[in-house]
Amino acid sequence: MKKLFVLLFSFLNISAFADAPVEGGEFQAGDMITHHIADDYNWHFADGATLYLPVILIDNGSVNVFSSHNFYDENHETVPYNGYVLEHGHIYRANAEGEPTEDQSGLYDLSITKNVASMFVSVALLFGVFFTIAGMYKKNPGKAPKGIQSFFEPIIIFIRDEIAKANIGPKYERYMPYLLTVFFFIWFNNLLGLMPGGANLTGNIAVTLVLALITLLITVFSGNKNYWKHIFATPGVPGWLAPIMIPVELIGILTKPFSLMVRLFANITAGHIIILSLFSLIFIFRSFAVGPLSVAFATFMNFLELFVALLQAYIFTLLSAMYFGGAVEEHHHEEEHH
């Protein structure tokens, strides 16, 4: 039974329990979960398998590059190094006592963190997959797809026909590169985050913010005269309501990408928290009676997260296409009014 639990923990990405903070001998579930879903300067896969990532600091024009391993002693406790200290997931200038100084101006952190490294892995994987598919199309033009090509072609066609064409209209082709990129980027990173030792990239609000911001910029710069007329001179609305309607419409432009950002961040992060919380029950109650039930629910949630990984990529892509469609749509309010 013990071996079975160990195998399940390994499969369901529970290696973080090995580094769970302990205070007074008690298991701290909150600290463990926060440590697991947060970004870090090293990438912990399992006991004895930790990748220490490069730290890149620009301090008043001088560049300092070294391994994050220097911030840890033999007991994996953080220690100052080279005038800097790692505290609460951030690097600061340190004083003689090894504590952060008050003045941190001019210090810029460009380090390769766990999330950045995970993004590099996912991008390399995307390039590998789709360059392979493109090569197969060139090698066998007009022939039925096979292998990896046959798996991804229906997905690409679905995004083209059911998302882009259906929501954008005749001008859909110019948006296909972005829609395909954002769909597969989110989907691949969602799946990588569920693997043992995976990083919580799409559960990082900075990443979802950038994706939502790109959607916002494309929408705004794609807007035609009808799109902007609807915002600044809404058809059918009396002119005296313009001081109210215009701010409401402008706020609406920002709330759409905001919802994209929060939805993806919250759903992915919540999934990780729920799974880790269910497993934490074993260590909190210290009971064999809780173990099987906790493992069963966590296993179910893990498989549910596989569906959520695909669903969130689909929703983000679908809503982005709807926003693009609203920006390029030709309205005929005058004709309809008459």
Side-chain angles (χ1 to χ4, degrees):
M1 180 63 73
K2 183 178 179 181
K3 292 182 178 179
L4 177 61
F5 280 163
V6 170
L7 289 173
L8 283 169
F9 290 170
S10 176
F11 173 72
L12 294 169
N13 198 10
I14 309 301
S15 59
F17 281 98
D19 293 330
V22 176
E23 190 175 298
E26 293 294 326
F27 173 75
Q28 302 295 316
D31 292 343
M32 181 278 298
I33 293 172
T34 302
H35 172 78
H36 179 76
I37 65 176
D39 201 4
D40 206 346
Y41 289 90
N42 61 71
W43 198 343
H44 179 78
F45 300 99
D47 288 345
T50 300
L51 176 64
Y52 291 95
L53 300 166
V55 174
I56 305 172
L57 301 174
I58 300 179
D59 193 352
N60 291 319
S62 64
V63 181
N64 299 282
V65 181
F66 53 89
S67 172
S68 60
H69 190 276
N70 293 296
F71 282 126
Y72 299 93
D73 60 17
E74 59 274 8
N75 298 319
H76 205 70
E77 298 291 334
T78 56
V79 294
Y81 175 76
N82 199 28
Y84 302 100
V85 62
L86 176 60
E87 189 170 297
H88 302 300
H90 297 281
I91 296 176
Y92 303 95
R93 291 195 193 97
N95 55 25
E97 290 75 28
E99 297 177 352
T101 61
E102 293 185 4
D103 182 20
Q104 300 292 330
S105 60
L107 179 63
Y108 300 97
D109 188 356
L110 303 179
S111 304
I112 307 299
T113 61
K114 179 172 68 172
N115 282 345
V116 175
S118 176
M119 184 167 59
F120 287 159
V121 171
S122 66
V123 170
L125 185 60
L126 283 167
F127 274 123
V129 168
F130 288 102
F131 275 128
T132 300
I133 294 174
M136 296 176 73
Y137 274 115
K138 291 180 179 179
K139 186 178 180 181
N140 303 305
K143 295 184 180 180
K146 58 182 180 179
I148 191 173
Q149 182 186 1
S150 64
F151 176 80
F152 283 99
E153 183 174 288
I155 302 175
I156 295 170
I157 293 174
F158 176 82
I159 295 172
R160 183 194 68 185
D161 295 344
E162 303 300 327
I163 296 180
K165 278 186 180 180
N167 294 282
I168 301 175
K171 299 180 180 180
Y172 77 93
E173 287 187 355
R174 69 176 70 172
Y175 302 100
M176 278 299 294
Y178 174 70
L179 294 176
L180 288 171
T181 300
V182 76
F183 175 83
F184 286 108
F185 177 82
I186 294 173
W187 187 28
F188 276 39
N189 280 290
N190 287 350
L191 293 177
L192 289 173
L194 293 174
M195 295 179 64
N200 185 32
L201 182 66
T202 43
N204 186 315
I205 199 165
V207 175
T208 61
L209 169 63
V210 172
L211 294 176
L213 184 60
I214 295 173
T215 294
L216 171 64
L217 292 175
I218 294 174
T219 302
V220 169
F221 285 105
S222 297
N224 55 25
K225 62 179 182 180
N226 293 304
Y227 175 75
W228 293 110
K229 182 180 179 181
H230 180 83
I231 293 171
F232 291 102
T234 307
V237 176
W240 59 271
L241 279 177
I244 299 175
M245 291 302 299
I246 292 174
V248 169
E249 292 289 345
L250 290 174
I251 293 172
I253 294 176
L254 300 177
T255 55
K256 291 176 180 177
F258 180 79
S259 67
L260 285 179
M261 173 188 71
V262 174
R263 181 184 293 107
L264 180 58
F265 157 75
N267 279 279
I268 299 304
T269 302
H272 290 297
I273 292 175
I274 292 172
I275 292 174
L276 291 170
S277 298
L278 288 169
F279 272 108
S280 296
L281 296 176
I282 301 173
F283 299 89
I284 293 171
F285 290 101
R286 299 179 182 179
S287 170
F288 283 107
V290 176
L293 190 63
S294 177
V295 169
F297 276 108
T299 304
F300 169 76
M301 283 301 305
N302 199 74
F303 283 107
L304 183 62
E305 279 295 293
L306 293 175
F307 170 71
V308 172
L310 177 61
L311 180 64
Q312 289 304 314
Y314 167 75
I315 291 175
F316 195 103
T317 308
L318 175 65
L319 292 178
S320 295
M322 292 175 65
Y323 301 156
F324 301 157
V328 301
E329 183 182 3
E330 297 294 338
H331 298 284
H332 305 284
H333 290 287
E334 291 81 9
E335 292 79 348
E336 293 174 0
H337 179 71
H338 293 300

